[in-house]
Amino acid sequence: MSTNVKAEELNYDKYENKKYDDDIRRVIPGHEKLHQEIEKIVKEFSQKNKVEKIADLGVGTGLTAERILKIIPQASLTAVDFSEVMLSGAKKRLSKYQTKFILGDYAKEEFGKDFDIIESVIGIHHQNHEGKRKLFKKIFNSLKDGGIFIFGDLVTYKDEHVAKVNDEKHYAFLVKNATDKKTLEEWTHHHKFLNDLAPIEDQVNWLKEAGFSSVDIKFQELNTALILAQK
């Protein structure tokens, strides 16, 4: 089991961190709303539970991890990414927090056990569908009882009409917000050829099959979705 693409194939390995951060906010519909919902989930969970250990699978430049650690700065973070370029950015951004960095593919690497929170944002869609199912089980086994998996990603839908309409609107959003022709071409290639989107309905079922006791869709905008699963 491994990610279907190499780091050097993806836009974020080509760009400086600052450009990637700007692009990802521009090309992912609902990026800010998704993160506001993540913050809400983390605040509510940390008010009821002592959060000591967090894992970020596909940490990128640390955008999501930083927002979480601002809420629970006492927690330790294990940050995994297979791009040296991205991990270097995360190391700078998260330097004041207790963070362990792992350079590698989280589908293959052992990243630890007994986490209170595992989160992954805009990355698991680069696993094939069987890889997603195996990864969900791995994540389940890596959480403490009562721990949560915060899963933000690009998805599609079982209804063909809904899937097609959302995909076209998603691409139109990308065209509208790309900063220049080169950026548009690169993100279009990413969107059309590198993504392996699974229906959100199937992914909810796969999370339940992995053992999660509750699985709830917290946010959806076009092909962007946020799922909260609790062990």
Side-chain angles (χ1 to χ4, degrees):
M1 178 175 67
S2 63
T3 303
N4 290 338
V5 292
K6 297 176 181 178
E8 57 268 24
E9 293 180 87
L10 297 172
N11 298 335
Y12 59 50
D13 208 59
K14 305 172 188 175
Y15 298 159
E16 292 182 0
N17 295 157
K18 186 176 180 181
K19 174 171 173 51
Y20 173 77
D21 288 348
D22 182 55
D23 279 352
I24 200 70
R25 292 185 181 103
R26 287 175 175 275
V27 304
I28 301 296
H31 187 274
E32 179 59 26
K33 292 178 184 176
L34 175 84
H35 281 82
Q36 289 172 356
E37 188 62 35
I38 289 172
E39 289 174 332
K40 180 181 175 183
I41 289 168
V42 171
K43 285 175 184 175
E44 290 177 354
F45 184 74
S46 62
Q47 286 170 357
K48 299 175 183 177
N49 303 272
K50 185 178 181 180
V51 178
E52 298 176 308
K53 290 179 66 179
I54 305 168
D56 185 324
L57 308 183
V59 68
T61 64
L63 270 176
T64 305
E66 182 181 39
R67 294 178 77 146
I68 291 174
L69 288 170
K70 283 181 177 179
I71 298 168
I72 37 176
Q74 74 282 0
S76 66
L77 173 76
T78 298
V80 189
D81 207 288
F82 68 168
S83 167
E84 289 189 61
V85 175
M86 290 294 100
L87 215 55
S88 67
K91 287 177 181 178
K92 293 173 186 175
R93 175 174 260 138
L94 306 175
S95 61
K96 67 179 181 179
Y97 300 104
Q98 304 172 64
T99 308
K100 174 185 177 182
F101 295 96
I102 299 174
L103 175 62
D105 185 341
Y106 53 72
K108 295 190 291 185
E109 297 287 339
E110 290 303 321
F111 48 81
K113 299 284 186 182
D114 298 322
F115 291 101
D116 301 287
I117 298 173
I118 296 177
E119 57 96 352
S120 186
V121 174
I122 317 297
I124 291 178
H125 61 282
H126 288 303
Q127 306 293 317
N128 64 27
H129 295 357
E130 184 58 29
K132 291 179 180 73
R133 296 177 77 166
K134 289 179 180 178
L135 184 59
F136 291 162
K137 186 64 177 178
K138 182 178 180 180
I139 290 168
F140 176 84
N141 290 334
S142 300
L143 282 166
K144 290 179 181 177
D145 289 342
I148 57 173
F149 173 38
I150 301 172
F151 174 38
D153 209 359
L154 301 180
V155 303
T156 187
Y157 302 88
K158 291 184 79 71
D159 184 304
E160 272 192 35
H161 176 74
V162 173
K164 291 286 187 184
V165 169
N166 278 350
D167 189 60
E168 290 302 318
K169 288 182 177 179
H170 191 103
Y171 180 64
F173 181 92
L174 167 58
V175 172
K176 179 181 177 181
N177 289 284
T179 52
D180 53 59
K181 184 179 178 181
K182 184 174 183 289
T183 302
L184 174 59
E185 288 175 354
E186 290 181 339
W187 280 102
T188 296
H189 176 76
H190 189 131
H191 179 71
K192 296 291 186 181
F193 296 102
L194 302 182
N195 292 349
D196 191 357
L197 308 189
I200 191 169
E201 300 92 341
D202 287 344
Q203 296 192 77
V204 166
N205 287 333
W206 297 340
L207 287 162
K208 291 176 180 177
E209 288 173 3
F212 287 97
S213 60
S214 66
V215 181
D216 299 300
I217 299 170
K218 293 294 187 178
F219 172 78
Q220 287 177 269
E221 185 169 328
L222 303 182
N223 287 353
T224 308
L226 178 66
I227 298 173
L228 174 64
Q230 183 159 26
K231 183 170 179 177

